[in-house]
Amino acid sequence: GAVLGLLGFGGWKYWTEQQVVYQAAASDAYVKVTEILSSEKKDGLKESAEAVKKDFPDSSYAILSAFQLAKLAIENKDLDAAKSELQWVVDTHPTNELTPVAKIRLARVLMAQDNAKQALPLVSLEETSGYYALASLVKGDALIALERKSEALDAYKAAFADKTIVARNPTLQVKIDQLSQFAAVTEESK
């Protein structure tokens, strides 16, 4: 029994050390990405970010690299490439704390591609999510695109509860006011 206990402990210790080494190497690789991002020229950004994803796919640094690749793709007006990077995060890291961010960004890309229907499930987050208000804002936009105005109003009101979202999106109050007027006119005509 004692031998098995020692073997188990040794195996656990080895695994833990390997995880530390893996994360440190992933961090070092991502430092190169951040150095490129802080430079005037962005030469080598795509290659460095892709290397992090390929060499350390299970790390949060791979997710951050995918975000940088998606941003680069959007800057180059390549929405399909941005969609691919964000979908990779959603598919390969479903439980990571950054996945809701990827879902929200992916929903925005899909809406830019006139695919609000596909975007909608991505921004239907639980109220307990730290990204619920931001997801509600994007959900409202998707619902507007689908001409589901009363549901959009509810989503915008949920987003409005977070004052940070309100501060960053000054048109949110205007959207709520316009949809509230629409709802009042619709109610009167019944």
Side-chain angles (χ1 to χ4, degrees):
V3 173
L4 286 177
L6 286 173
L7 285 174
F9 178 73
W12 175 81
K13 187 173 180 179
Y14 173 79
W15 181 83
T16 303
E17 288 174 5
Q18 291 301 81
Q19 290 301 306
V20 170
V21 168
Y22 178 83
Q23 289 300 330
S27 175
D28 290 345
Y30 190 71
V31 165
K32 186 172 181 182
V33 173
T34 61
E35 287 172 350
I36 294 169
L37 286 170
S38 64
S39 69
E40 289 287 324
K41 294 183 178 182
K42 305 297 183 227
D43 296 339
L45 175 61
K46 184 175 181 184
E47 295 78 12
S48 294
E50 285 175 346
V52 173
K53 278 182 59 187
K54 180 177 128 322
D55 296 340
F56 307 99
D58 298 329
S59 72
S60 291
Y61 297 106
I63 295 172
L64 296 173
S65 293
F67 285 167
Q68 293 302 329
L69 290 168
K71 180 180 177 186
L72 184 64
I74 289 170
E75 289 170 357
N76 291 327
K77 298 183 184 3
D78 186 353
L79 295 178
D80 287 334
K83 177 182 168 184
S84 176
E85 291 298 334
L86 296 168
Q87 190 66 58
W88 177 85
V89 173
V90 171
D91 292 344
T92 60
H93 296 274
T95 60
N96 189 286
E97 63 273 4
L98 294 172
T99 300
V101 175
K103 287 181 175 183
I104 292 166
R105 291 178 181 180
L106 178 55
R108 287 180 169 163
V109 169
L110 290 167
M111 289 184 342
Q113 293 178 319
D114 295 322
N115 198 344
K117 189 174 184 177
Q118 191 178 356
L120 198 52
L122 293 168
V123 288
S124 296
L125 300 182
E126 298 290 326
E127 285 186 50
T128 55
S129 169
Y131 300 100
Y132 177 72
L134 181 58
S136 294
L137 176 66
V138 177
K139 183 178 184 178
D141 293 342
L143 289 164
I144 286 291
L146 296 170
E147 299 185 19
R148 293 164 53 183
K149 293 179 181 176
S150 106
E151 292 172 82
L153 178 58
D154 292 340
Y156 287 144
K157 285 180 178 177
F160 194 78
D162 185 327
K163 299 307 172 199
T164 304
I165 299 297
V166 174
R168 290 184 182 162
N169 298 279
T171 60
L172 181 57
Q173 182 65 57
V174 174
K175 291 176 181 181
I176 290 172
D177 292 345
Q178 288 176 341
L179 288 172
S180 295
Q181 288 174 352
F182 174 79
V185 169
T186 304
E187 191 64 33
E188 287 175 8
S189 65
K190 287 184 179 179

